[in-house]
Amino acid sequence: EAQVTQNPRYLITVTGKKLTVTCSQNMNHEYMSWYRQDPGLGLRQIYYSMNVEVTDKGDVPEGYKVSRKEKRNFPLILESPSPNQTSLYFCASSLTLSTGGYTFGSGTRLTVV
Amino acid sequence: DQQVKQNSPSLSVQEGRISILNCDYTNSMFDYFLWYKKYPAEGPTFLISISSIKDKNEDGRFTVFLNKSAKHLSLHIVPSQPGDSAVYFCAALYGGATNKLIFGTGTLLAVQP
């Protein structure tokens, strides 16, 4: 089944403790992206990647890192999480954005206390 | 600066009637516009898209209209069904080198049986 898999689905962590949210897609897509969803703000792009070893900042990149060493994986790294990074995170991938946009994962609910 | 705006946070419609969801944008350089649907605890799923050179695209019960002069698009759902109850996101695509997808804040549609 074609899908984007992100883990974990739920995570509660403490301020400053480094964490990684994994994302993997099995569709051989070139484009991958991370979004966060917050009430009243919709989906905001954190980082995106147009191909292996090519990443770029989205609209809200502060406090996040990504890497794209292989086509299928695009992990999101929070080096020192803070409470304002409590959010719902979505990983997404696409072959061509215009014809169908992104295929999204099921989301990761992160709480930083 | 919100480039894609959905000014109605919520909408309630009777089953069988028409649902009209609206979206405004500020940048005339967007190439494509897309609508996504999101159920709780799931990632957004692609619904329908329209090229900036067209003014209408139809897919079953879903029709998207684009008014470029007004920088406005709308999604019509006819007839509305209870299973359509979800959050709907409008998104706009920058093509070219960046290939960036920008989302609106979402509208919660409730279809009453």
Side-chain angles (χ1 to χ4, degrees), chain A residues 9 31 35 37 40-43 45 48 50 58-59 90 97-102 104-106, chain B residues 2 32 34 36 38 41-44 46 49 89 93 96-105:
Chain A
R9 289 294 307 271
Y31 297 99
Y35 285 87
Q37 183 188 359
L41 297 175
L43 289 159
Q45 191 176 49
Y48 64 100
M50 296 177 77
D59 298 314
F90 290 101
L97 290 178
S98 60
T99 54
Y102 281 112
F104 282 84
S106 299
Chain B
Q2 194 76 25
Y32 280 87
L34 300 89
Y36 283 79
K38 185 183 178 305
E42 294 183 14
F46 169 73
S49 67
F89 289 100
L93 175 66
T98 57
N99 239 303
K100 194 177 163 82
L101 193 60
I102 299 173
F103 283 83
T105 51

Side-chain angles (χ1 to χ4, degrees), chain B residues 37 39 61-62 77 79-88 109-111:
Chain B
K37 176 173 160 178
Y39 292 119
R61 296 186 297 114
F62 303 91
I77 306 174
S80 302
Q81 300 172 354
D84 296 330
S85 298
V87 176
Y88 289 79
L109 173 66
V111 180

Side-chain angles (χ1 to χ4, degrees), chain A:
Chain A
E1 181 189 350
Q3 60 185 357
V4 176
T5 304
Q6 52 181 113
N7 284 296
R9 289 294 307 271
Y10 301 93
L11 179 60
I12 301 174
T13 190
V14 296
T15 299
K17 185 176 180 182
K18 181 179 178 180
L19 66 92
T20 299
V21 184
T22 63
C23 175
S24 180
Q25 50 95 3
N26 61 1
M27 296 166 280
N28 202 37
H29 285 170
E30 291 186 352
Y31 297 99
M32 296 189 76
S33 186
W34 277 101
Y35 285 87
R36 60 179 286 176
Q37 183 188 359
D38 301 289
L41 297 175
L43 289 159
R44 294 180 294 166
Q45 191 176 49
I46 303 170
Y47 268 94
Y48 64 100
S49 169
M50 296 177 77
N51 213 326
V52 176
E53 302 292 0
V54 180
T55 63
D56 210 343
K57 295 178 181 178
D59 298 314
V60 287
E62 295 77 22
Y64 304 95
K65 285 174 58 177
V66 293
S67 69
R68 188 93 183 272
K69 294 185 171 58
E70 315 160 89
K71 201 171 194 178
R72 62 182 293 125
N73 295 323
F74 191 45
L76 179 70
I77 302 155
L78 284 73
E79 294 270 3
S80 182
S82 62
N84 65 12
Q85 293 178 296
T86 293
S87 187
L88 179 57
Y89 291 87
F90 290 101
C91 179
S93 73
S94 176
L95 190 60
T96 50
L97 290 178
S98 60
T99 54
Y102 281 112
T103 299
F104 282 84
S106 299
T108 295
R109 172 75 66 182
L110 172 66
T111 302
V112 183
V113 298

Side-chain angles (χ1 to χ4, degrees), chain B residues 4-88:
Chain B
V4 180
K5 301 177 188 179
Q6 293 176 257
N7 292 318
S8 299
S10 63
L11 175 68
S12 182
V13 172
Q14 287 295 120
E15 181 178 5
R17 306 294 288 268
I18 184 171
S19 295
I20 300 177
L21 296 106
N22 294 304
C23 179
D24 297 298
Y25 61 96
T26 57
N27 194 324
S28 58
M29 300 301 290
F30 289 130
D31 291 318
Y32 280 87
F33 301 90
L34 300 89
W35 284 93
Y36 283 79
K37 176 173 160 178
K38 185 183 178 305
Y39 292 119
E42 294 183 14
T45 54
F46 169 73
L47 197 54
I48 191 169
S49 67
I50 186 168
S51 164
S52 61
I53 62 172
K54 301 206 169 176
D55 53 22
K56 179 182 174 181
N57 188 26
E58 193 171 350
D59 184 1
R61 296 186 297 114
F62 303 91
T63 304
V64 57
F65 295 93
L66 176 62
N67 182 335
K68 286 180 67 178
S69 61
K71 294 192 176 68
H72 177 83
L73 67 154
S74 60
L75 174 68
H76 292 211
I77 306 174
V78 182
S80 302
Q81 300 172 354
D84 296 330
S85 298
V87 176
Y88 289 79

